[in-house]
Amino acid sequence: MKSLPRISLFALLIVLLSAVHVFGQATASGTIEGTVTDNSQAVVVGAQAVAVNKGTGASRSATTDGTGSYRFELLPAGSYVVTVTKSGFAKQVQNVELVVGQTASVNAQLKPGAASEVVEVSAEAAIIDTTKTSVGQNITPSEVQDLPLLSRDVANLAYLVPGVKAADSYDPTKNRYAIISVNGQDGRNINVTVNGVDNKDNTVGGPVMQLPLEAVQEFSISTQRFSAANGRSEGAAINMITKTGTNNFHGSAFGFFRDEALNAIDTFSAQGGGEKPPYSRQFFGGSVGGPFIKNKMFGFFAFERQREHTSKPESPTAFQELSLVTDLGAQPAANIPTPFFENRYNGRLDYRFSDRETAYISYSSQANNSENDQSDGQGDLTGGNFTLNHLQVANFTLNSVLTNSLVNSFTFGFQYWNNLIDSHTSAPYITFAGGEWFGTNVNVPQQSYQRKFQFRDDITKTYGKHTLKAGVDYIQTPTLGGFFEFNSTLEIDFGSDPSKILGDTTTYPDGFATPGLVTGMTVAEGEPHFNMPGGVKQLGLYFQDDWKVTNRLTLNLGLRWDKDFNLVGASAIANSRSFQEMQAIGSPLARLAHDDNKDFSPRIGFAYDLTGSGKHVVRGGYGLYYDNIFENIPLFLIQQANPTVFQTAFSISAKTDEVPNTGIALQNWRFGVDPLPTIPPPSSELNPGSTGRLMAPEYRNPLSEQFNVGYQWAVNNNSTIEVDYVHVLGLHENKTVNVNPVDPNSSTGARPLDDDFAAAGVPVLGSVRVEESVNRSRYDGVNFSFRRRMTRHFTLNANYTVSRAMGWGIQSGNPLVGSGFRNYPHDPRNLWDPRDFGPTPNDERHHVTVSGMVELPWGFDFAPILQFGTARPYDLNEGYDVLGIGSGYSRPLIVNNNDPKNLLAYADSALAQDALDCLAAAQCHQAGYDTVRGRAFFQLDTRIAKNIRLGEHRNLQLMFQAFNLTNKTNYGNNFVNTANSAKFLTPAGYINPTSSSTPRAFVGEFGARFTF
């Protein structure tokens, strides 16, 4: 009975919101508005405006008000005919193409005449949306179909938007996605919706699924938006719209084909003397749409299939070394096969009850399986894996025109995702000094899954000059979690390489059985699941007034409130062993974190038409934007709340460490002769020396403060120039703080909490890592854009961004890791060391993109995409614990004051004390964060196509696509950054190394597409 008041309160809230005479932005629609005047420029009151969708025949009508204005909200994107009539005037007819999120102005100047007289206005819709306050861009249907796309992932086209660039995959589940860095961020905070339905990954961030390209009508991306209708993201908002059937049957069939003969060999394979690895890919499918009942019911279906037989070249050195240990179980291969198979499909059914009520159902699915995508070029076939992925997103949407000025949109959404990465092999993980390895991959098995249900209702009331909006958005995620294991099998580390072991019989007289040759052993055990107990709920409420103060000034005034339930994981943290240990010692950190209650987001935007002609517009805005807490942050705490704790069962590396349950010291243990260690059963308690995990009691949702101001000029009816200044201040970002580091002044490696743990009679933990929401970042940029729509046989979209992205440095051996997530300060005793503040890894001071399409004679089309970016920075480290604060720390790099360019001064770990003494004498200093830069990025992709007309409505297009046409080796900032490496400051790989959306070398592809 206690739950009834809560249910009643929620129901009452919904009723009150629905009763308010306001309108909520339907994210899958656009708006047509206009002002009707006569020849004397006087407004015409009582004129009848009718908008008819050319594809479906659906129509909407309105009467101009006292200001001569009319407005159609909630219109599906598409082609419309707008007709304006008034007694005593000739009828005026105008065509307009409406895109998602756009407010298209269709003004009419009526001329005296008979009602039977028709005046057709042939001019295209205005090139400038004079009411737009956001920074972003719509990707049109022609761009979706005509521009070259490497992986048929429409999100690649987001790179054409100012302030957007490609970034590396931040999780193995995203390797085949177009990762989008917006305003210097890493891509996790992007919020993607499909027909207005949430398509977000709550575990690691970013999108969940990719749609079949044939099903994408268009999509819009807003890098800064000032509508309160959108939330749950501090980054960009991307909304994808699926295609619909029309009164005319239409469809497509396509095929794209690649082979190694069309590819160039990549630089690293060529340097190693290797050959091009085998490669074959076929991507084919099609679509069909049309009426079931003309003007009433429409259907659309699209299907795409990808078959890919590819491989990753093994390091020649690793292949040679592992070929010497096949008798130990290695299965070396010059190329590791990486086959990939995928199906994507979408179905949509639209039904028109009347001109005032329509509904549609859309369902999309993506299922793929692949092998060996975790291979790193140093392993073999035993270290392979398989990956299974199944993703779904669906929606039911009901759009209702309650009156000419009151509109409502209701959406029910569903999302499902299940990703499994596992191995067919269960064998010890064997490593050698040079990095070669074989056996079960340490990154498997792991799984992530989520299931969401979404209820969204948006309602609108146009009242004079005010378009009032409000809505409720509720998401229930009953299933969110998965499992993650590391070192699932015994790891055995050899202190030398196979060639050295077999070739140096003096040092290794017994070969692999030589005592002391094995330098370490590690294994993990326990329950690895991290399921969020009770699931997660999210509620968003908003109110907004789009106020057309005058015909030249529009204001957007909004307020949004978001509330998350259980995303911080408090229901599990109370049972976490780390939390319980901190309670036992009376730590002030032993208090539960709670979900935010005060996430209010004010939004304000303005657009001012300087001359009233629609040719010069100044716009700007300010807003606060809250994001979600990804489950990856409390993940390890949730694992520690399981009946048994997943943790390192043992890890030995000292010569005198005993190999568990053998009675043999590590320095005397003989591989293949002495018994393997006995792996203990999982424990319900943390082992001594384990890593503690906590959430700070004051943990909050990440937040960004954004504002922009810009100017847009319509050069002519088909071209526009736009300049925008953009500012983003990231607040409450994640920082992981070790509150129990090693005391560098202790000869025994003591930690601050050792005595407290021992006195409380609980296991003495090693580092204790507390997740805090105290980090910050900042982005400032100026975007310059020129856009020309199809005129005189060509289009052009050119952007230039000059910017600076700054953040706090992190402790990581990886030079590419961003500063906004899982941030470890290099010295936990000094969280805000100014030397930790610098450019983020995605900082490009200058970025250029150019795209377009040229219609050539004889039915040929040419479409290029050019991207250029100046060098991104990367971080440097010594490669060992130079400050003496515990394992896992390798920053900073120490240089002498009198020779700061000598980056190798203390690269030898034997000089660690010298480095500390030099720092104490103020004769040395720490190199700052991200102080060096890699190489500039340049990529040119092109498509040349020949169109063969097969009648009035049928076309066959034959094409060739070239990706990275100039065969540029783009290292980006992927350089060896560890000073004690022999390859220090040399390229380690390619820009965005784990992402498949950036070609490593020239890639060619033939294709054909038939449309009707």
Side-chain angles (χ1 to χ4, degrees):
M1 296 296 292
K2 292 183 179 180
S3 64
L4 287 178
R6 297 181 183 177
I7 296 174
S8 300
L9 181 61
F10 183 75
L12 178 61
L13 181 62
I14 298 295
V15 171
L16 289 174
L17 281 170
S18 300
V20 178
H21 292 272
V22 289
F23 165 75
Q25 176 178 335
T27 55
S29 64
T31 299
I32 295 177
E33 68 173 15
T35 301
V36 181
T37 60
D38 59 19
N39 282 343
S40 67
Q41 299 300 313
V43 298
V44 177
V45 180
Q48 185 78 6
V50 179
V52 179
N53 186 299
K54 291 182 179 180
T56 64
S59 66
R60 292 270 297 278
S61 61
T63 302
T64 57
D65 59 18
T67 64
S69 301
Y70 71 91
R71 186 178 176 96
F72 298 115
E73 299 278 2
L74 207 63
L75 293 176
S79 298
Y80 286 84
V81 177
V82 178
T83 303
V84 179
T85 58
K86 172 71 174 178
S87 177
F89 295 91
K91 179 192 300 183
Q92 181 168 308
V93 178
Q94 186 168 341
N95 294 291
V96 61
E97 190 74 27
L98 185 65
V99 297
V100 175
Q102 178 194 23
T103 298
S105 296
V106 182
N107 299 319
Q109 185 177 27
L110 299 183
K111 298 180 179 180
S116 59
E117 185 180 349
V118 177
V119 177
E120 291 192 12
V121 180
S122 59
E124 293 191 73
I127 189 70
I128 291 181
D129 181 352
T130 58
T131 65
K132 186 190 81 161
T133 61
S134 63
V135 179
Q137 191 172 318
N138 285 83
I139 307 299
T140 65
S142 60
E143 289 175 311
V144 171
Q145 292 299 336
D146 296 335
L147 291 174
L149 290 174
L150 182 68
S151 302
R152 289 186 64 80
D153 184 353
V154 69
N156 276 288
L157 295 180
Y159 302 147
L160 307 182
V161 177
V164 179
K165 64 182 72 70
D168 192 27
S169 171
Y170 45 81
D171 188 79
T173 62
K174 309 301 179 194
N175 288 353
R176 286 183 171 267
Y177 287 66
I179 304 301
I180 301 168
S181 169
V182 177
N183 298 336
Q185 297 296 314
D186 64 3
R188 293 177 185 268
N189 58 1
I190 302 298
N191 195 35
V192 179
T193 58
V194 178
N195 295 329
V197 173
D198 190 88
N199 185 36
K200 190 172 187 177
D201 184 338
N202 284 102
T203 300
V204 298
V208 168
M209 76 171 295
Q210 299 159 302
L211 295 177
L213 188 64
E214 294 296 299
V216 177
Q217 172 70 18
E218 61 182 284
F219 78 96
S220 62
I221 173 171
S222 296
T223 56
Q224 284 192 312
R225 71 274 184 215
F226 302 104
S227 166
N230 298 313
R232 304 194 182 100
S233 169
E234 58 170 335
I238 296 178
N239 186 34
M240 298 187 182
I241 308 301
T242 57
K243 289 181 179 178
T244 179
T246 66
N247 277 327
N248 297 314
F249 283 102
H250 59 283
S252 63
F254 73 90
F256 291 92
F257 309 95
R258 295 184 198 166
D259 188 86
E260 67 260 26
L262 300 175
N263 298 345
I265 188 171
D266 73 279
T267 298
F268 285 97
S269 296
Q271 289 175 348
E275 298 180 353
K276 285 191 294 184
Y279 187 98
S280 174
R281 193 186 88 160
Q282 302 84 41
F283 213 141
F284 54 89
S287 65
V288 62
F292 289 106
I293 304 174
K294 191 171 184 179
N295 292 331
K296 197 77 171 177
M297 182 185 293
F298 313 93
F300 183 85
F301 179 78
F303 173 81
E304 296 185 3
R305 168 74 171 169
Q306 182 177 357
R307 295 187 311 211
E308 188 174 280
H309 295 275
T310 60
S311 58
K312 291 182 179 179
E314 185 79 351
S315 161
T317 301
F319 176 72
Q320 293 169 7
E321 293 290 345
L322 294 178
S323 296
L324 300 175
V325 288
T326 55
D327 56 333
L328 300 184
Q331 298 178 21
N335 294 292
I336 304 295
T338 54
F340 178 84
F341 305 97
E342 179 177 77
N343 291 327
R344 303 181 197 174
Y345 63 88
N346 165 265
R348 173 166 168 163
L349 181 68
D350 288 70
Y351 189 81
R352 178 183 169 201
F353 297 97
S354 67
D355 286 342
R356 290 184 170 271
E357 196 144 41
T358 61
Y360 72 93
I361 298 174
S362 176
Y363 173 83
S364 301
S365 175
Q366 179 182 14
N368 56 57
N369 62 85
S370 59
E371 294 182 11
N372 304 324
D373 57 5
Q374 300 297 301
S375 296
D376 61 2
Q378 295 290 104
D380 72 337
L381 295 176
T382 66
N385 68 281
F386 65 86
T387 299
L388 302 176
N389 226 357
H390 190 199
L391 313 100
Q392 300 170 326
V393 64
N395 70 281
F396 166 77
T397 298
L398 175 66
N399 294 325
S400 304
V401 180
L402 304 178
T403 70
N404 285 344
S405 61
L406 183 64
V407 190
N408 188 80
S409 177
F410 169 78
T411 295
F412 167 74
F414 171 76
Q415 184 211 57
Y416 170 77
W417 175 47
N418 192 332
N419 172 270
L420 174 65
I421 305 174
D422 207 340
S423 173
H424 295 297
T425 301
S426 181
Y429 173 68
I430 310 296
T431 75
F432 297 97
E436 311 87 17
W437 60 272
F438 68 91
T440 301
N441 193 309
V442 291
N443 292 322
V444 299
Q446 58 178 286
Q447 185 177 25
S448 297
Y449 40 71
Q450 67 182 34
R451 180 180 282 108
K452 291 183 181 180
F453 300 92
Q454 183 174 3
F455 301 87
R456 175 170 182 158
D457 193 79
D458 303 278
I459 188 167
T460 302
K461 174 67 177 181
T462 302
Y463 185 78
K465 295 183 178 182
H466 297 267
T467 300
L468 304 171
K469 309 179 178 183
V472 56
D473 189 358
Y474 175 74
I475 295 178
Q476 181 162 349
T477 309
T479 304
L480 177 63
F483 67 83
F484 172 74
E485 295 187 45
F486 56 88
N487 287 115
S488 60
T489 62
L490 177 66
E491 176 179 338
I492 299 176
D493 305 319
F494 283 91
S496 189
D497 285 328
S499 59
K500 179 71 172 177
I501 297 170
L502 296 175
D504 185 354
T505 57
T506 301
T507 305
Y508 308 107
D510 298 321
F512 293 98
T514 300
L517 178 57
V518 171
T519 58
M521 294 186 188
T522 304
V523 73
E525 279 287 314
E527 169 56 61
H529 282 84
F530 51 87
N531 297 323
M532 190 71 80
V536 170
K537 302 177 182 66
Q538 297 169 273
L539 175 65
L541 307 174
Y542 75 90
F543 174 83
Q544 179 153 328
D545 179 7
D546 291 341
W547 178 19
K548 200 169 184 63
V549 183
T550 68
N551 287 336
R552 295 163 59 180
L553 176 63
T554 300
L555 294 180
N556 301 142
L557 307 171
L559 179 66
R560 182 180 180 91
W561 177 68
D562 285 289
K563 170 64 179 174
D564 297 333
F565 300 87
N566 201 35
L567 266 180
V568 77
S571 58
I573 293 174
N575 296 319
S576 169
R577 306 309 192 278
S578 293
F579 182 81
Q580 292 173 348
E581 286 211 22
M582 298 301 278
Q583 279 184 317
I585 67 173
S587 170
L589 294 171
R591 293 181 292 119
L592 290 177
H594 295 284
D595 296 287
D596 288 358
N597 292 314
K598 300 178 181 179
D599 288 354
F600 290 96
S601 308
R603 315 277 172 87
I604 180 171
F606 74 91
Y608 183 67
D609 185 349
L610 292 174
T611 63
S613 63
K615 293 183 179 296
H616 302 272
V617 176
V618 174
R619 57 173 58 93
Y622 170 87
L624 297 181
Y625 302 85
Y626 285 92
D627 211 324
N628 302 139
I629 298 172
F630 303 128
E631 195 188 12
N632 251 19
I633 294 176
L635 183 152
F636 294 109
L637 286 83
I638 298 172
Q639 278 190 330
Q640 291 185 1
N642 290 327
T644 63
V645 180
F646 182 78
Q647 59 188 322
T648 299
F650 64 79
S651 179
I652 58 174
S653 57
K655 293 180 179 181
T656 57
D657 286 345
E658 179 188 334
V659 177
N661 298 310
T662 65
I664 304 172
L666 184 61
Q667 63 185 351
N668 299 322
W669 190 82
R670 298 167 298 173
F671 179 80
V673 176
D674 293 323
L676 291 171
T678 301
I679 299 174
S683 173
S684 61
E685 300 297 331
L686 289 170
N687 293 328
S690 294
T691 299
R693 305 279 185 171
L694 292 172
M695 291 284 285
E698 302 82 12
Y699 203 95
R700 298 186 59 187
N701 283 30
L703 164 71
S704 70
E705 180 182 273
Q706 305 180 17
F707 68 80
N708 89 289
V709 61
Y711 165 73
Q712 188 173 13
W713 170 36
V715 182
N716 52 45
N717 290 336
N718 299 295
S719 303
T720 177
I721 292 175
E722 188 169 0
V723 181
D724 290 289
Y725 166 70
V726 174
H727 169 82
V728 180
L729 177 64
L731 302 169
H732 305 316
E733 295 176 337
N734 179 252
K735 183 184 283 288
T736 307
V737 180
N738 180 9
V739 298
N740 198 34
V742 170
D743 181 355
N745 298 315
S746 169
S747 60
T748 61
R751 297 174 184 267
L753 300 180
D754 285 355
D755 293 341
D756 294 331
F757 288 132
V762 296
V764 177
L765 301 180
S767 64
V768 176
R769 300 176 183 180
V770 182
E771 305 296 341
E772 299 188 8
S773 54
V774 295
N775 211 42
R776 288 190 170 200
S777 64
R778 174 172 176 157
Y779 174 89
D780 293 277
V782 180
N783 302 326
F784 300 86
S785 301
F786 175 81
R787 289 194 290 275
R788 173 191 171 96
R789 59 190 175 192
M790 180 60 73
T791 309
R792 296 183 179 178
H793 306 292
F794 79 94
T795 66
L796 180 62
N797 181 6
N799 303 298
Y800 165 65
T801 299
V802 54
S803 64
R804 184 178 69 166
M806 304 292 287
W808 288 92
I810 73 166
Q811 164 52 43
S812 174
N814 186 341
L816 307 180
V817 179
S819 64
F821 182 80
R822 194 71 75 191
N823 175 297
Y824 296 88
H826 87 271
D827 186 347
R829 301 164 301 177
N830 186 2
L831 302 189
W832 305 112
D833 189 327
R835 291 163 296 197
D836 273 0
F837 189 75
T840 69
N842 288 320
D843 175 54
E844 282 184 0
R845 295 301 163 91
H846 304 276
H847 188 82
V848 176
T849 60
V850 180
S851 65
M853 193 182 77
V854 182
E855 294 178 340
L856 300 172
W858 306 297
F860 283 94
D861 293 334
F862 175 68
I865 296 178
L866 181 149
Q867 300 179 68
F868 168 80
T870 52
R872 302 180 188 183
Y874 63 96
D875 197 27
L876 302 176
N877 66 78
E878 294 287 8
Y880 64 91
D881 179 20
V882 64
L883 297 182
I885 53 179
S887 62
Y889 289 90
S890 57
R891 289 189 71 239
L893 186 108
I894 309 299
V895 294
N896 293 309
N897 293 344
N898 59 3
D899 190 12
K901 294 185 179 180
N902 180 12
L903 303 179
L904 300 177
Y906 300 98
D908 188 343
S909 60
L911 300 175
Q913 188 59 49
D914 293 343
L916 293 177
D917 293 341
C918 188
L919 286 172
Q923 296 175 352
C924 295
H925 65 273
Q926 302 177 15
Y929 173 57
D930 273 1
T931 53
V932 294
R933 291 186 178 258
R935 307 276 179 85
F937 172 79
F938 178 84
Q939 182 176 319
L940 175 61
D941 303 332
T942 60
R943 172 191 283 192
I944 184 74
K946 166 63 176 175
N947 295 289
I948 303 173
R949 304 293 297 180
L950 303 174
E952 184 177 357
H953 300 293
R954 293 184 297 276
N955 185 70
L956 174 63
Q957 187 179 68
L958 306 177
M959 68 195 81
F960 179 77
Q961 298 189 133
F963 302 97
N964 196 4
L965 180 65
T966 62
N967 199 29
K968 174 78 161 55
T969 300
N970 284 304
Y971 300 119
N973 51 355
N974 193 359
F975 281 69
V976 178
N977 67 324
T978 303
N980 63 1
S981 169
K983 297 182 179 180
F984 184 51
L985 299 184
T986 62
Y990 304 100
I991 192 172
N992 308 329
T994 62
S995 176
S996 64
S997 63
T998 304
R1000 312 295 188 232
F1002 173 85
V1003 174
E1005 179 177 76
F1006 283 103
R1009 187 169 185 264
F1010 172 72
T1011 57
F1012 64 91

